[in-house]
């Protein structure tokens, strides 16, 4: 029978007295349980986090180039295709660091440098908080500006 450090062992002595002694606990495996093993995070996980964080920034109209948005619109219409939150995001994930490349479309009239700075800050905060990885760089390519009178690349659904 094994006993923990909190359990007492009682025994009777020759004179009928009961003596309690604490048995020392034995640790199995040694070391802090939080440091046993390794955690790996897939590139796609970091890409999803970064994509959602970038879309949350005011002034970001869409993610990805025109071609990728067009293919994405088609994929979104296929049953089970779902929306791709990783569109316009590429991540390289190492053991403790990650680097990200984002391609965004901004709304007309916003300061591109301010939007890029806000995207960078939001993405770094979200990725580092959720994954514990150090974000070493976030490269942002602005591929287009959405004009107010322009139609979206993604057409309206036929069924309403």
């Amino acid at each position: 029978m094994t006993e923990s450090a909190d359990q007492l062992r009682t025994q009777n002595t020759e004179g009928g007295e009961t003596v309690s002694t604490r048995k020392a606990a034995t640790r199995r495996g040694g070391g802090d349980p939080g440091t046993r093993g390794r955690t790996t995070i897939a590139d796609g996980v970091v890409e999803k986090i970064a994509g959602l964080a970038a879309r949350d920034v005011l002034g970001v109209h869409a993610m990805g180039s025109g071609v990728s948005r067009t293919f994405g619109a088609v994929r979104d219409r296929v049953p089970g295709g779902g929306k791709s939150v990783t569109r316009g995001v590429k991540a390289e994930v190492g053991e403790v660091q990650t680097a990200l490349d984002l391609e965004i479309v901004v709304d007309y009239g916003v300061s591109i440098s301010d939007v890029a700075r806000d995207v960078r800050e939001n993405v770094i905060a979200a990725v580092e908080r959720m994954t514990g990885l150090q974000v070493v760089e976030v490269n942002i390519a602005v591929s287009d500006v959405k004009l107010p009178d322009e139609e979206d690349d993604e057409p309206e659904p036929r069924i309403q």
Side-chain angles (χ1 to χ4, degrees), residues 2 18 30 36 45 67 71 83 97 112-113 116 125 128 134 145-146 155:
T2 60
T18 303
R36 295 183 207 166
V45 172
V67 173
F71 283 124
K83 250 191 182 328
Q97 295 179 326
I112 293 174
S113 60
E128 287 185 347
Q134 178 190 14
V145 174
K146 168 67 171 77

Side-chain angles (χ1 to χ4, degrees), residues 3-152:
E3 297 175 0
S4 72
D6 294 333
Q7 292 177 329
L8 295 176
R9 172 182 277 174
T10 57
Q11 60 186 17
N12 291 327
T13 61
E14 290 179 21
E17 281 180 51
T18 303
V19 179
S20 298
T21 57
R22 218 174 263 285
K23 183 178 179 186
T26 56
R27 280 193 140 166
R28 299 187 191 271
D32 177 28
T35 60
R36 295 183 207 166
R38 184 174 59 151
T39 302
T40 57
I41 300 172
D43 293 0
V45 172
V46 174
E47 289 170 355
K48 282 184 180 182
I49 294 167
L52 290 171
R55 284 175 176 77
D56 283 346
V57 174
L58 190 64
V60 174
H61 178 75
M63 300 288 296
S65 66
V67 173
S68 71
R69 290 194 323 270
T70 302
F71 283 124
V74 172
R75 185 180 55 246
D76 293 347
R77 300 209 185 311
V78 174
K83 250 191 182 328
S84 175
V85 294
T86 61
R87 184 182 315 146
V89 183
K90 179 67 180 141
E92 293 179 30
V93 180
E95 287 186 28
V96 295
Q97 295 179 326
T98 186
L100 295 151
D101 294 322
L102 305 176
E103 189 171 359
I104 65 173
V105 176
V106 297
D107 292 319
Y108 176 79
V110 299
S111 167
I112 293 174
S113 60
D114 289 348
V115 170
R117 183 194 64 239
D118 293 346
V119 167
R120 198 170 277 115
E121 289 174 357
N122 208 35
V123 166
I124 289 170
V127 170
E128 287 185 347
R129 178 179 52 82
M130 293 180 70
T131 66
L133 295 169
Q134 178 190 14
V135 179
V136 293
E137 67 180 8
V138 178
N139 299 311
I140 298 173
V142 178
S143 62
D144 201 359
V145 174
K146 168 67 171 77
L147 301 175
D149 57 345
E150 259 182 349
E151 288 185 28
D152 282 337

